[in-house]
Amino acid sequence: MEKLRAKKGFICDMDGVIYWGGRLLPGVKEFVNWMQENNKEFLFLTNNSGKTPLELKLKLQTMGLDVDESHFYTSALATAKFVSEQTKHCSAYVIGEPGLFGALYECGVVITDKNPDYVIVGESPSYNYETICKAVDLVRNGAKLIGTNFDMTGPSNRGIIPACRALISPIEMATGKQAYFVGKPNPLMMRTGLRLLGVHSEETAMIGDRMDTDIIGGVESGLDPILVLSGVTDKTEIDNFPYRPRLILNSVADIPY
């Protein structure tokens, strides 16, 4: 545990680590206070593509936690950065929430359903059969398929719900095309997090609740992988994976300050 406390940087997932639905998880305030008081560099790196950093800041404020918006980086921001750098003045048909649309607009991506360069899929309550059919038609006609993140499911107030990889699967199956996922565990997003913090990977811990995104992302990017059981992963599931976290904690409340 002393090795964890000595880290200069902390990259933390949000859903299942910081909060569950609309509820702040136990020990989070103490953890964030400890990082602030000890001048730790920290970033909330979330695969949630629906909200902007400002909206995430305000969400935490309603739960009693005040963190500047500069401490947030989302898969929507990573996706917008990726496609705008891959194809200048590109266009996209988008299935997602305002945070994704806003990030794409900020990077100059034109939103259209007329011969777009990309079909970009994130989580969306407006996801329906018609949007699937439209996306399938566009991908069949040459648009490249992009997923904002690799999460199959996610936690919510109603329990575990489908996330991006589940929503994009029908489009992949109907077109025979595999999506490229930009969010965790893609090293692109992990390296961006390290650059924003200004720290090296060996000086940084990755704290998350998912083996298939947070922990493998930490392992492959050279971060110290720490799994918390406060989210979607049960301890009995860990042996199903060929890689392991260095530490397994019930929650961030287990970190002694």
Side-chain angles (χ1 to χ4, degrees):
M1 198 70 76
E2 283 301 317
K3 182 179 177 181
L4 178 59
R5 286 169 51 83
K7 294 294 181 183
K8 293 181 179 179
F10 289 82
I11 294 178
C12 305
D13 185 34
M14 295 193 72
D15 292 305
V17 177
I18 303 301
Y19 55 71
W20 181 287
R23 175 176 57 88
L24 204 66
L25 289 168
V28 168
K29 283 186 180 180
E30 293 80 2
F31 175 52
V32 173
N33 287 339
W34 173 77
M35 289 192 294
Q36 292 172 331
E37 290 169 359
N38 288 274
N39 298 314
K40 302 293 186 181
E41 301 294 338
F42 67 95
L43 185 70
F44 295 125
L45 195 72
T46 175
N47 266 353
N48 186 319
S49 63
K51 296 187 183 300
T52 66
L54 178 58
E55 288 172 326
L56 291 170
K57 167 189 166 64
L58 295 175
K59 178 174 181 174
L60 289 188
Q61 273 187 340
T62 65
M63 302 179 199
L65 186 62
D66 192 15
V67 178
D68 187 80
E69 64 185 286
S70 62
H71 290 285
F72 300 91
Y73 192 72
T74 71
S75 65
L77 295 173
T79 299
K81 181 176 184 289
F82 172 74
V83 297
S84 65
E85 290 179 349
Q86 288 289 303
T87 307
K88 298 299 182 185
H89 311 297
C90 65
S91 58
Y93 174 70
V94 183
I95 301 172
E97 294 184 88
L100 177 56
F101 281 89
L104 292 166
Y105 276 126
E106 286 293 317
C107 284
V109 179
V110 175
I111 310 299
T112 182
D113 62 357
K114 307 297 183 185
N115 300 315
D117 298 298
Y118 298 97
V119 168
I120 300 175
V121 180
E123 290 83 7
S124 173
S126 62
Y127 178 94
N128 57 47
Y129 185 69
E130 185 57 37
T131 59
I132 296 172
C133 290
K134 185 64 179 178
V136 167
D137 181 57
L138 294 172
V139 172
R140 282 184 174 275
N141 282 285
K144 304 170 190 70
L145 185 58
I146 302 289
T148 59
N149 66 80
F150 197 64
D151 291 3
M152 184 70 79
T153 60
S156 76
N157 289 329
R158 68 178 71 176
I160 300 298
I161 58 173
C164 182
R165 187 152 54 105
L167 301 181
I168 209 170
S169 180
I171 303 170
E172 291 181 311
M173 294 175 70
T175 62
K177 303 290 186 180
Q178 294 297 305
Y180 180 74
F181 294 95
V182 179
K184 297 177 293 183
N186 193 322
L188 285 172
M189 189 166 176
M190 308 301 285
R191 286 198 295 268
T192 298
L194 289 170
R195 283 198 301 271
L196 290 170
L197 290 181
V199 293
H200 296 293
S201 57
E202 61 268 20
E203 301 171 327
T204 307
M206 174 71 227
I207 301 179
D209 70 317
R210 301 190 68 103
M211 290 291 292
D212 59 348
T213 56
D214 302 315
I215 300 308
I216 190 173
V219 169
E220 292 183 345
S221 302
L223 284 72
D224 189 13
I226 311 298
L227 179 72
V228 292
L229 303 176
S230 50
V232 300
T233 300
D234 185 272
K235 197 170 186 177
T236 60
E237 300 171 355
I238 297 171
D239 286 339
N240 295 333
F241 297 86
Y243 49 86
R244 294 186 64 83
R246 186 180 67 81
L247 284 177
I248 301 169
L249 308 175
N250 290 319
S251 71
V252 295
D254 284 354
I255 303 172
Y257 308 117

